[in-house]
Amino acid sequence: MARERRSKKEVIAAKMDLIDEKINAYATKIADLQNQKEELQNQLDELAAAEKKAEEEAQLKEVLKLLKTKNISVGELKEMVENK
């Protein structure tokens, strides 16, 4: 059985097709990695928001503790703040 020789044009076209396939594969990988990055960024944002909320709650507890130790009511605190 004789092997048919491909022309130079066919060889180059085949190489270009292989390159296109590789480009498409890398484009898909890049898109997947960008999606993963976005998911991780969302997780970071959620963690930062939770951290901020926890810090605010800790500060509120500290203020409440101070009010209790100084025997100051919420009304008295409002009055102090409004008078300044």
Side-chain angles (χ1 to χ4, degrees):
M1 182 181 237
R3 216 169 92 168
E4 194 175 310
R5 241 184 110 112
R6 297 188 299 173
S7 69
K8 186 153 182 117
K9 190 176 184 181
E10 290 172 329
V11 171
I12 291 172
K15 285 182 180 180
M16 288 176 60
D17 287 342
L18 286 174
I19 290 171
D20 284 340
E21 287 175 16
K22 287 181 180 181
I23 289 171
N24 290 334
Y26 286 128
T28 301
K29 286 181 182 180
I30 289 170
D32 290 343
L33 290 171
Q34 286 178 334
N35 288 337
Q36 289 178 15
K37 182 181 175 183
E38 287 175 13
E39 289 174 15
L40 291 171
Q41 185 61 52
N42 289 340
Q43 290 177 12
L44 277 177
D45 293 344
E46 289 173 7
L47 287 173
E51 209 172 78
K52 183 177 179 182
K53 184 178 179 181
E55 185 178 322
E56 289 173 352
E57 288 176 0
Q59 288 176 347
L60 286 174
K61 286 180 182 179
E62 189 176 330
V63 168
L64 182 60
K65 185 178 178 182
L66 180 63
L67 290 175
K68 284 183 180 180
T69 57
K70 297 294 183 179
N71 202 21
I72 300 173
S73 70
V74 174
E76 291 171 332
L77 179 63
K78 283 182 183 178
E79 198 174 302
M80 287 178 182
V81 172
E82 289 172 357
N83 287 337
K84 285 192 176 187

